[in-house]
Amino acid sequence: MLPPGYTLRETQAGDYDSFVRTLRVLTTVGNVTALQFAQQLGVWALHPDIYFSRVILNAENNVVATGTLLVEHKVIHECGRVGHIEDIAVSEQEQGRKLGQHMIGELTRIAQQQGCYKVLLDCAPKNVAFYEKCGYKDAGVSMRIDTMH
Ligand code: ACO
């Protein structure tokens, strides 16, 4: 259950200001304009079976938490589906109110409804305990290569 006054819904173009502000607790967002944000939502809307972007709003209707589920449509496991959770952020002053846990619960439910047989995410070691509280378990090593120089 969300605390009183908070709501969870799909991300909308009008969320631009508080969405970008919230994401800054996670990483560098850079210079993203309202138009670029709206265009990105337009790309997501073209693939409604792949992109599931959600926000939690406070009583003032400002975004205070973000999260996205990507549904990968595979060939293996009889054209099975795998969920990928990305860009989880809770604004600093709202952390510790179970908003992150609620967001992960909702994205995991959507993945189940979409027929995903598993859900994956990458996180820093300091966040492992948070995801364990959300029911996730350590699944080994994550590898990466940085392709922009
Ligand atoms: N270490 C240990 N336990 C934690 C941590 C942590 N870093 N964060 C939360 N918890 C615990 C809480 O104490 C709580 O435990 P309880 O049920 O025993 O009371 C439980 O996890 C749920 O915590 P929430 O209140 O739901 O956590 P919050 O809303 O603060 O969100 C989050 C946690 C998302 C990690 C937030 O601190 C945040 O946005 N951090 C900065 C950005 C970030 O690192 N995002 C995750 C990136 S990984 C990805 O996107 C896939």
Side-chain angles (χ1 to χ4, degrees), residues 1-3 97-98 102:
M1 278 270 283
L2 279 171
R97 294 182 185 161
K98 302 278 161 67
H102 194 86

Side-chain angles (χ1 to χ4, degrees), residues 30-90:
N31 186 22
V32 176
T33 65
L35 178 62
Q36 287 172 316
F37 180 70
Q39 286 170 337
Q40 209 68 304
L41 263 62
V43 172
W44 299 348
L46 291 174
H47 307 283
D49 55 340
I50 296 178
Y51 290 95
F52 299 84
S53 176
R54 296 292 182 269
V55 290
I56 295 175
L57 307 166
N58 65 10
E60 288 77 46
N61 265 336
N62 289 315
V63 172
V64 292
T66 65
T68 299
L69 170 76
L70 296 171
V71 175
E72 180 191 2
H73 296 246
K74 300 181 81 74
V75 172
I76 61 168
H77 297 308
E78 298 175 338
C79 295
R81 296 177 178 191
V82 172
H84 300 268
I85 285 181
E86 291 283 342
D87 298 349
I88 301 298
V90 176

Side-chain angles (χ1 to χ4, degrees), residues 10-29:
E10 288 181 29
T11 308
Q12 298 173 359
D15 295 330
Y16 165 68
D17 273 327
S18 51
F19 187 97
V20 167
R21 202 181 323 127
T22 300
L23 266 186
R24 292 195 203 282
V25 305
L26 173 63
T27 189
T28 309
V29 180

Side-chain angles (χ1 to χ4, degrees), residues 25-26 85-90 95-101 121-123 126-127 129-131 133:
V25 305
L26 173 63
I85 285 181
E86 291 283 342
D87 298 349
I88 301 298
V90 176
Q95 290 177 7
R97 294 182 185 161
K98 302 278 161 67
L99 302 184
Q101 198 166 39
L121 61 84
D122 276 339
C123 75
K126 68 179 164 65
N127 287 329
F130 164 70
Y131 286 110
K133 293 243 160 104

Side-chain angles (χ1 to χ4, degrees), residues 85-135:
I85 285 181
E86 291 283 342
D87 298 349
I88 301 298
V90 176
S91 60
E92 227 159 74
Q93 64 276 19
E94 302 276 359
Q95 290 177 7
R97 294 182 185 161
K98 302 278 161 67
L99 302 184
Q101 198 166 39
H102 194 86
M103 178 63 77
I104 296 298
E106 178 65 13
L107 297 176
T108 307
R109 264 189 301 280
I110 296 171
Q112 284 169 334
Q113 286 160 8
Q114 293 298 312
C116 294
Y117 64 88
K118 67 178 176 185
V119 182
L120 302 172
L121 61 84
D122 276 339
C123 75
K126 68 179 164 65
N127 287 329
V128 167
F130 164 70
Y131 286 110
E132 283 175 344
K133 293 243 160 104
C134 296

